[in-house]
Structures are given as C-alpha cells and as structure tokens.
Amino acid sequence: MPTRRALVVGAGVAGLATALRLRRSDWEIVLVERASRFTDDGFPCALQGPGWEAASRLGLMKALDARSQPRCDTVVVGRTGAPFALCAKPSSKVPVLRRGDVVRVLREAVGDVEVRCTDVLGLAEDDCGVTVEFGDGEADWFDLVVGADGADSAIRASVYGHRWRYRQGFSMATGLLGAGPGNAVRMELVKRSVRVHPLRDGNSAVLFTWRGDVGSDLHDVFGDVPGVPPGLLSQVDDSLLSRRTGSQAHLKQWASRQVVLVGDGAWCSGHFCEQGASLSIAGAELLGDALDIFTGTAEALAWWEGQFRPVVRHARRQGVVLRESEVAQWISPRTSNVS
C-alpha cells in the first residue's frame, strides 16, 4: 500500500503529538513551523485525564516524568490574600509539566521529519486529498492536512473563513520569579487571576490573566488588588514576560473532507485550562486511531470529531473561570492546614 502523506501545520504540543501518532501508522509527515525556535515554556500543569492515558500508550511517560516540575499543594487565596482553601498536590504518577517540557519530549519522540519553515497560503481540497500552496512559492499534494497552528489558526481561516465565533477574550503574561513559596498559589477573581508555581530549578513560574489590553502594565491591572503583594509585581521582569491574547473559537465543524483542526485552533478551552496539553495529546492519539480504523479519510475525521467533542465540552466546563465563592464550594476547605 502506498505511504499516505500528511502535512502537519504547527510544531506545538498538538502538532507534534499528531505527527508522532501518525508516524506510528507509517504516515509520511511534513511539518510546517514558522518559528525558528520554541521559547514559551508556559505555566506548570498536571498532565491528567485522557492525555495521561494517551501519553502512556504512546510510550512518553518515562521522558515526561524526567522533566516533571515539583508536585505541591495549591493554596487558594481570596482578594485580600487570605487563604481559604487548599487543593491537594497531584498523584505521584502524574507529571507536572510546562508546555515547553512536553514539546521537547515530543520532538525527541517524533525523530527526523521533513520540516518546512514557511507559511501555508492556500488549500485546494478534493475527494482524494489537498493541494497546498506554500509561502516560498512551492506547492505539494497531501492525503491529509492537520491544522495544529494555534488559536489564530491560518488553516482554520483557509477552510472556514470567518464562520466561527469567539468567546472569552483574554490576555495572558507568563514569566519567572526568584525563589517563591513552597506551595503553588492561585487567586481567581472575576476578570483577573494570578498563579505562582515553584520550579525544580529553584525559581517560580508566574501567570497573570486578565480581560483587557495585552500590553497593559501589570501594576495598572493588578495594583489595586489587596491580595497581590507589591513585591510580587516588582519581581517580574517585564522585558522577559511572554504575553499573548487568546479566546475560545466555537466552530460547528473541526474537520472537512481531508483537513482537520486539532488543539487550540479547534477547541481552545478557555483562559486557563489545565487540560490544554492533555486534550492535544488525547486528540492526536484518537485521530490516528480513527485513520487506522476507517478506509476513507472523511469518514475517519467525522467519527473522530463525534467521539472527541464530548471530551472537549467536559474540559471546557472544568476550565470556566470561577468566582471566589464558587471556588470555595468546588474545593473542600482545609484552612486549618494553611499557615
């Protein structure tokens, strides 16, 4: 049987996980990535749920465990900075990973694939495959195109134009602090949140999210919140912050005949969803399974979407920003253990 060819656009978690799974089924992979290097390490999150199970089946857990950040309790604080709940640390079986940790493990697992550092300018899809026009003037044909190019997906725009709606626009800034608290700390307000998590190198990662201009000065956004220590804001080197905007994209379809969206381009799960990497790995594995089961690509993609949409809906419900009173009901208070 001739080797099937897939173009995977995007070399983040979703794209690399898809490339790895398809290579296991003897697909020829061409990877497109505009960025010359991956620099966003992101904020540590526990790899749980379907992503943990998929990573185990893909043989990634040993390498992921080796990069795991500290597992620790998370102290939930209110607007005044007073602790009111404690979320227990993840199981010892669950790695706590920054996005960069996951990307590096996946890159090593994928091995040598053809990588094109260019843009995708256009797609011409038919019942047999997709002709792709690249920004360097080249054109090529593929059995399948996978759009794993993030929340601002160019593949989504090529296939669906503007036929989707945005929701929950937000801004994020991630960075590093010096030695921080021994526990992770989180503050969830209606339109703002702050999270701090210790790292294995002795530093701490910090994540700020808010509704508003991504270029805003953090002192202007968070300076009026009594519970945010002034020292925290002054420790953050603004020149080293990684800033980005995001939103949920709601589409009626993630897949057409020979083109499929995976990751944030299809289901960006909210302003802070701890299952982002998990959903990407699980979705990639299930996509490979679908393409193994069904002989027709369109049929495989339709089945995959029908199976995976409920998983994403569940994660989105879990990732909703909760008001302080709702967080208190959601997490069993253990304030007697919080100093």
Side-chain angles (χ1 to χ4, degrees), residues 102-323:
V102 183
V103 166
R104 293 178 186 98
V105 168
L106 286 169
R107 278 186 170 172
E108 184 174 345
V110 168
D112 293 330
V113 297
E114 181 182 349
V115 180
R116 297 184 182 180
C117 298
T118 184
D119 296 316
V120 173
L121 297 184
L123 305 173
E125 187 179 11
D126 57 38
D127 291 334
C128 297
V130 188
T131 301
V132 180
E133 180 184 356
F134 295 103
D136 56 11
E138 298 280 333
D140 206 344
W141 185 92
F142 299 91
D143 297 277
L144 174 71
V145 171
V146 178
D149 48 343
D152 298 319
S153 172
I155 301 303
R156 182 182 63 206
S158 295
V159 175
Y160 297 108
H162 297 287
R163 290 176 290 164
W164 71 84
R165 60 188 177 91
Y166 281 122
R167 181 178 154 192
Q168 293 187 343
F170 58 91
S171 296
M172 302 177 65
T174 57
L176 292 176
L177 304 173
N183 291 327
V185 179
R186 58 182 282 189
M187 172 188 288
E188 299 285 356
L189 305 178
V190 176
K191 296 183 179 180
R192 294 172 288 185
S193 70
V194 182
R195 299 189 179 212
V196 179
H197 196 290
L199 302 176
R200 60 185 177 184
D201 63 4
N203 294 314
S204 293
V206 60
L207 168 69
F208 300 93
T209 60
W210 68 96
R211 300 285 178 86
D213 183 3
V214 69
S216 298
D217 188 289
L218 294 180
H219 290 83
D220 294 337
V221 179
F222 294 95
D224 66 324
V225 182
V228 178
L232 176 66
L233 297 176
S234 63
Q235 285 185 62
V236 180
D237 187 343
D238 192 76
S239 65
L240 299 179
L241 279 177
S242 174
R243 294 175 179 256
R244 69 180 180 91
T245 58
S247 59
Q248 285 187 356
H250 289 255
L251 293 87
K252 293 182 179 179
Q253 284 183 281
W254 296 340
S256 57
R257 289 173 294 179
Q258 321 292 335
V259 180
V260 62
L261 301 172
V262 298
D264 284 349
W267 60 69
C268 182
S269 302
H271 94 292
F272 185 80
C273 176
E274 296 186 353
Q275 296 194 49
S278 176
L279 288 174
S280 292
I281 297 172
E285 188 203 30
L286 186 64
L287 177 61
D289 292 346
L291 291 164
D292 285 349
I293 294 169
F294 297 93
T295 56
T297 302
E299 185 181 11
L301 299 185
W303 180 86
W304 168 81
E305 182 171 344
Q307 295 294 311
F308 205 62
R309 270 191 180 271
V311 178
V312 173
R313 281 197 296 268
H314 177 69
R316 275 179 164 168
R317 287 194 295 269
Q318 290 183 322
V320 170
V321 180
L322 300 177
R323 290 179 173 84

